[in-house]
Amino acid sequence: MTSVRPDRGDSVPDPRVARARYRRILRFAAWNLAVTWWYELLLPRIGLTRVAERTRSKRMQRFARRFHVLAVDLGGLMIKVGQFMSSRLDVLPPEITKELEGLQDEVPAVPFELIKQLAEAELGMPLSRAFSWVDENPVAAASLGQAHRARLAPLDARDTGLSGVVIKVQRPGIDSIVEVDLAALRRVGGWLSHVRLVYSRVDAPALVEEFAVTSLEEIDYLHEAGSSVRFAAEFADDPRVSVPEIVWERTTRRVLTLEDVTAIKITDAAALTAAGIDPATVAPVFAAVMFDQLFTDGFFHADPHPGNIFVTPLPASADGSTGGLPWRLTFIDFGMMGEVGASTRSGLRKMLIAAASRDGKGLVEAAREVGVLLPTADTSELERAMTHLFARFGGMGFAELREVDPREFREFAVEFGDVVRSLPFQLPENFLLVIRAMSLTSGVCSALDPAFNLWDSVEPYAQQLIREERGNVVQDVGAQALSNLQLAWGLPKRLDSLITRADEGTLGFRSPELEKRVGRLERSVGRIVSAVLFGALLVAGAVVRADDVVFGTVLMIASAVPLLHALFAGRRAR
């Protein structure tokens, strides 16, 4: 059970407290930026690179410990910043990520009396009237809110079909806390926008604004409830996923009441095993569900850490079977959701396909399409680096990568590090949440199965995407060919009508040369249409032939007819 002690800054929106909080965040950022500048930029320039390298690990640990203390003491968005850093296994050293992992659950709880006062003010009635019972001990204490189990009053239980629920209540004073934290983060983002190493790769102020939008949505529980309903609709016909129902009559902007779906925490291997569920079988299903959200639906859970995912065992039928998986994944906490536009989703799909195909050049091109690389970037050396990377490390799981000699990684970094650092990278809108979701997904899967290889889930999914993309291409080519055929079929009739109207004088003028010119126009257009039909049939045949050799060959042979017409029709008429 979480210890109950008030967070020092969450419940007192005093101007003096707010100013002190703001200054404390800025002092921490300024000091650590100065230390980083001294060791990573100045010392190497005066020939003391070894000093910087020798002290780097301890400096990272010291920074992480200090930020951990700052985040737990201040709460608010500092916890969210720490959670984000703890999930960035791809860019941050383990000295930082390991130290900040505890921020996922380590948040002091607010005394129940303060939670009760806020909930009653929001609902407009005493809790004893809104609910038949409320547990004063929180089931979860998060950085922005706190959850308590409860039972609905008999009338509400009859209307909703629910009994056990969870009440999620904002931490008192969190609106003011978020306002102060965002002001401080915007100031730090402004500082970073003047650091060449940062502004050449990313628009720091824009990232802060994206973080601000997400944070403000998180403290609007009506928005979270709407996201939950949308997510449930996306997976309505998917037996792998379930979502708690919302009790709208007991939900406001600061209070959210939802079905109690508490089950086995997804990374609780002992509890899964005790329930007869092999943790290793959960990992690929979870990865596939997250891939569907990111690459197919475009609306995804951006905070899939272990506390937000349950594994819910299903009851067996009379014959002892469950008709499929004997369990399902239950998602909760839809405050942080991401949405990927159609063009970005197409680029992400191409990145996934290229990664599964070990196609370094394709991966770089997809990254450019997504917007991670500026259009003007010269990527020839990066393509070579990616090809080398796939050749040596492609297909390895995390367990296998741990066994690789660290000197090989260092050699790769020495050879290609300058290439990567010199390229103009940028993070497009919403990409921060995509990276967070993928990082957490990878971490959860590795916790379920240390030998889990993400490539095993990527490859079949990528093959499915390739089949879908091929089908889309065939449909597009077929539609274009049909359109061309319709045009060719109707064109002679339209030209004949034009000649008839000219003969009848309905065009308002007559010319002895008109029929001859229209005849030449008809023959020219006919040849153009034949050329287009030839290209359409040839391309369609080449695409279809990969799946249907006979039909594809027929289309390619048939393309010779319009080709002959295009080549010889004009000569015959002269």
Side-chain angles (χ1 to χ4, degrees):
M1 183 180 68
T2 308
S3 61
V4 178
R5 66 176 178 85
D7 192 313
R8 295 186 207 176
D10 279 353
S11 58
V12 188
D14 186 304
R16 290 174 297 178
V17 174
R19 283 195 299 271
R21 180 187 184 90
Y22 177 81
R23 291 168 181 166
R24 185 176 174 186
I25 295 172
L26 292 187
R27 282 198 305 270
F28 181 88
W31 170 256
N32 284 282
L33 282 173
V35 169
T36 301
W37 174 82
W38 174 267
Y39 280 97
E40 302 298 337
L41 296 178
L42 181 61
L43 292 187
R45 287 186 178 182
I46 61 176
L48 297 177
T49 304
R50 290 185 178 180
V51 175
E53 293 176 347
R54 189 169 60 249
T55 61
R56 184 173 295 134
S57 179
K58 290 184 177 179
R59 281 188 287 110
M60 294 298 101
Q61 290 176 351
R62 187 161 54 246
F63 163 79
R65 283 195 295 267
R66 288 175 176 173
F67 185 86
H68 191 290
V69 172
L70 176 78
V72 172
D73 197 31
L74 292 182
L77 293 186
M78 294 300 101
I79 293 286
K80 290 295 179 184
V81 173
Q83 288 177 344
F84 173 73
M85 288 194 294
S86 73
S87 67
R88 292 306 306 271
L89 303 175
D90 52 337
V91 296
L92 293 177
E95 293 87 351
I96 292 180
T97 58
K98 288 182 179 179
E99 179 64 31
L100 296 180
E101 283 175 351
L103 284 175
Q104 300 288 4
D105 298 310
E106 183 190 332
V107 184
V110 175
F112 180 73
E113 190 59 34
L114 296 177
I115 293 293
K116 179 182 177 183
Q117 291 173 11
L118 191 150
E120 290 181 341
E122 282 291 307
L123 296 175
M125 65 180 70
L127 282 185
S128 58
R129 179 182 166 192
F131 303 94
S132 62
W133 169 79
V134 179
D135 188 352
E136 296 187 5
N137 296 314
V139 65
S143 56
L144 304 181
Q146 185 164 303
H148 293 258
R149 284 196 176 93
R151 282 195 295 270
L152 291 175
L155 183 60
D156 290 335
R158 185 168 62 251
D159 291 341
T160 62
L162 304 175
S163 176
V165 294
V166 171
I167 313 169
K168 187 175 177 180
V169 184
Q170 280 187 9
R171 298 179 80 92
I174 195 63
D175 287 328
S176 300
I177 296 295
V178 168
E179 183 180 350
V180 171
D181 290 356
L182 287 178
L185 290 174
R186 288 184 175 111
R187 186 70 177 273
V188 175
W191 291 347
L192 293 175
S193 68
H194 297 289
V195 180
R196 186 175 182 278
L197 185 63
V198 176
Y199 73 67
S200 63
R201 299 165 178 269
V202 66
D203 186 346
L207 283 182
V208 172
E209 290 308 315
E210 183 181 339
F211 183 74
V213 170
T214 303
S215 301
L216 293 174
E217 288 177 349
E218 277 202 82
I219 59 174
D220 182 355
Y221 286 167
L222 289 176
H223 183 273
E224 178 177 344
S227 296
S228 173
V229 171
R230 180 179 173 184
F231 188 88
E234 295 280 0
F235 287 94
D237 300 322
D238 193 329
R240 302 171 300 173
V241 177
S242 65
V243 177
E245 293 187 30
I246 304 296
V247 183
W248 289 99
E249 295 79 2
R250 295 290 178 262
T251 295
T252 71
R253 197 179 79 84
R254 293 183 174 87
V255 176
L256 174 63
T257 305
L258 64 159
E259 178 186 6
D260 187 358
V261 292
T262 306
I264 303 172
K265 186 176 179 179
I266 190 170
T267 53
D268 190 343
L272 289 172
T273 303
I277 301 172
D278 182 0
T281 64
V282 178
V285 176
F286 175 62
V289 168
M290 291 304 300
F291 287 158
D292 283 342
Q293 296 173 48
L294 285 162
F295 303 112
T296 302
D297 301 329
F299 183 66
F300 63 94
H301 198 302
D303 196 22
H305 66 75
N308 285 340
I309 317 291
F310 293 123
V311 176
T312 305
L314 299 178
S317 59
D319 61 359
S321 68
T322 58
L325 286 173
W327 47 267
R328 64 165 57 107
L329 297 171
T330 302
F331 286 75
I332 64 171
D333 193 351
F334 299 91
M336 187 184 295
M337 303 296 292
E339 190 160 6
V340 182
S343 60
T344 303
R345 189 160 66 251
S346 174
L348 287 174
R349 288 160 69 100
K350 291 178 181 178
M351 288 182 73
L352 183 66
I353 292 170
S357 305
R358 317 294 195 268
D359 180 4
K361 183 176 181 179
L363 185 63
V364 173
E365 285 301 316
R368 190 195 298 275
E369 180 177 332
V370 169
V372 175
L373 287 170
L374 293 178
T376 57
D378 181 5
T379 58
S380 56
E381 284 300 307
L382 181 61
E383 291 173 6
R384 190 171 71 88
M386 291 298 99
T387 301
H388 180 87
L389 180 68
F390 280 131
R392 176 60 187 92
F393 306 113
M396 288 188 177
F398 289 105
E400 294 172 291
L401 288 173
R402 292 191 191 102
E403 302 300 322
V404 175
D405 190 336
R407 287 176 293 184
E408 290 196 47
F409 292 118
R410 284 197 294 270
E411 290 172 2
F412 180 85
V414 169
E415 184 175 358
F416 297 107
D418 291 338
V419 173
V420 175
R421 284 191 292 271
S422 64
L423 284 171
F425 286 99
Q426 62 178 2
L427 287 178
E429 183 181 1
N430 232 348
F431 213 72
L432 200 66
L433 295 180
V434 173
I435 294 172
R436 174 179 173 80
M438 289 303 296
S439 297
L440 288 172
T441 299
S442 177
V444 169
C445 290
S446 296
L448 285 165
D449 180 9
F452 177 78
N453 190 336
L454 193 62
W455 295 103
D456 293 338
S457 293
V458 168
E459 288 181 337
Y461 195 86
Q463 292 299 324
Q464 175 188 336
L465 292 181
I466 291 172
R467 288 193 295 270
E468 292 175 1
E469 293 291 338
R470 182 182 295 166
N472 292 337
V473 170
V474 172
Q475 290 177 5
D476 291 344
V477 171
Q480 186 61 48
L482 179 61
S483 176
N484 292 336
L485 286 171
Q486 291 173 340
L487 177 64
W489 181 265
L491 191 58
K493 185 181 295 184
R494 295 175 64 185
L495 290 173
D496 184 63
S497 175
L498 178 64
I499 295 171
T500 300
R501 290 172 61 194
D503 287 338
E504 293 174 351
T506 57
L507 292 178
F509 65 94
R510 292 183 64 86
S511 172
E513 297 294 323
L514 180 60
E515 185 172 345
K516 185 182 296 185
R517 292 180 180 179
V518 171
R520 285 201 298 267
L521 176 62
E522 181 179 9
R523 288 191 296 273
S524 298
V525 173
R527 294 176 67 192
I528 293 173
V529 172
S530 294
V532 172
L533 282 174
F534 160 71
L537 290 171
L538 183 64
V539 172
V543 173
V544 172
R545 197 170 186 273
D547 290 323
D548 190 333
V549 176
V550 176
F551 184 48
T553 303
V554 169
L555 287 177
M556 295 177 73
I557 294 174
S559 69
V561 176
L563 175 62
L564 293 173
H565 179 267
L567 291 175
F568 301 109
R571 298 177 184 179
R572 191 172 58 248
R574 290 174 185 166

